[in-house]
Amino acid sequence: MKQMMTLTTRNQLKVMGEPLRAEIMMHLIERPYTGQQLAEAMNIPRGKMHYHLKELEKNDLIEMVKTEEKNGILQKFYQAVAAGFTISEKLLPHRSEINQTTRQVINSILDRAKHRVQNAPGYAFEDKNQSENPEDWGYITTNGEFKATEEQFIEWKKKYYALMRELQNFEEETSEETNTYYFLHLGFQIEEEAFQIPIDKGTSDDEDFKK
């Protein structure tokens, strides 16, 4: 699976903007599934799932990555072709569809994040020391609004994604036993401020910011 794919056709845009297919994509980004496994996981009739998988495959959004024989039946495993998706500038005339697709994909990501939170082990959210030292935090979460110029935000994004690539490479750089961590990052421009109290040391919003 490659890291990023650019959507270049209107059909790809429309396929990704359909709620059920966007949810299927979120599953297939995580790991390979057969149509039967996905149908059971999402409580969808097998025939309906097969149809949606064919549409996704036809538009080069998923691919068959392996086959296994079970009880004389050949099982096909599908996976998303990329972990993330961007949209080509040549699709800009279809701005309303781009906005709808982007919102739907983000909503599907948030739904999967909720599932992750609900099914995470209890120790994932333990806060043993009530410490202000980041080294002691069992989990991290950030919720806030920040002022910056567009140029400043672009420069910050470059640094942020460099850190994420560093995190992704940790497993390859060590022979020691590793843990698995889940991250969700989301940032976008807004028109109206929701936080009336600035996020600063000593405010009640600090708790959301630090862990």
Side-chain angles (χ1 to χ4, degrees), residues 1-2 16 20-39 41-42 49-50 52-57 61-65 76-85 112 116:
M1 177 194 293
K2 58 186 178 181
M16 286 288 287
L20 179 57
R21 291 174 186 165
E23 185 178 353
I24 292 172
M25 288 296 296
M26 292 307 106
H27 281 77
L28 295 179
I29 284 173
E30 293 180 355
R31 67 177 179 86
Y33 282 87
T34 67
Q36 179 65 31
Q37 289 172 338
L38 272 175
M42 298 177 63
M49 178 60 70
H50 178 74
H52 287 299
L53 289 175
K54 286 299 181 185
E55 287 296 305
L56 291 168
E57 186 179 27
L61 297 170
I62 67 172
E63 60 185 352
M64 186 174 64
V65 293
K76 299 178 180 180
F77 287 79
Y78 294 91
Q79 190 169 27
V81 299
F85 297 87
R112 293 298 293 162
R116 289 287 199 176

Side-chain angles (χ1 to χ4, degrees), residues 72-135:
I73 299 175
L74 187 66
Q75 297 182 316
K76 299 178 180 180
F77 287 79
Y78 294 91
Q79 190 169 27
V81 299
F85 297 87
T86 59
I87 298 174
S88 170
E89 290 186 1
K90 75 177 186 180
L91 293 175
L92 287 179
H94 309 290
R95 291 181 185 274
S96 61
E97 292 181 24
I98 290 174
N99 289 340
Q100 178 59 32
T101 298
T102 303
R103 291 176 192 272
Q104 185 54 58
V105 170
I106 290 175
N107 282 330
S108 297
I109 291 172
L110 293 175
D111 285 340
R112 293 298 293 162
K114 291 178 184 177
H115 175 78
R116 289 287 199 176
V117 171
Q118 292 168 353
N119 291 277
Y123 58 77
F125 304 115
E126 289 180 356
D127 189 10
K128 299 178 180 178
N129 300 321
Q130 296 293 326
S131 170
E132 294 185 2
N133 186 348
E135 294 179 3

Side-chain angles (χ1 to χ4, degrees), residues 2 14 93 112 164 197 210:
K2 58 186 178 181
K14 293 170 69 175
R112 293 298 293 162
M164 291 304 297
I197 302 175
K210 74 176 185 177

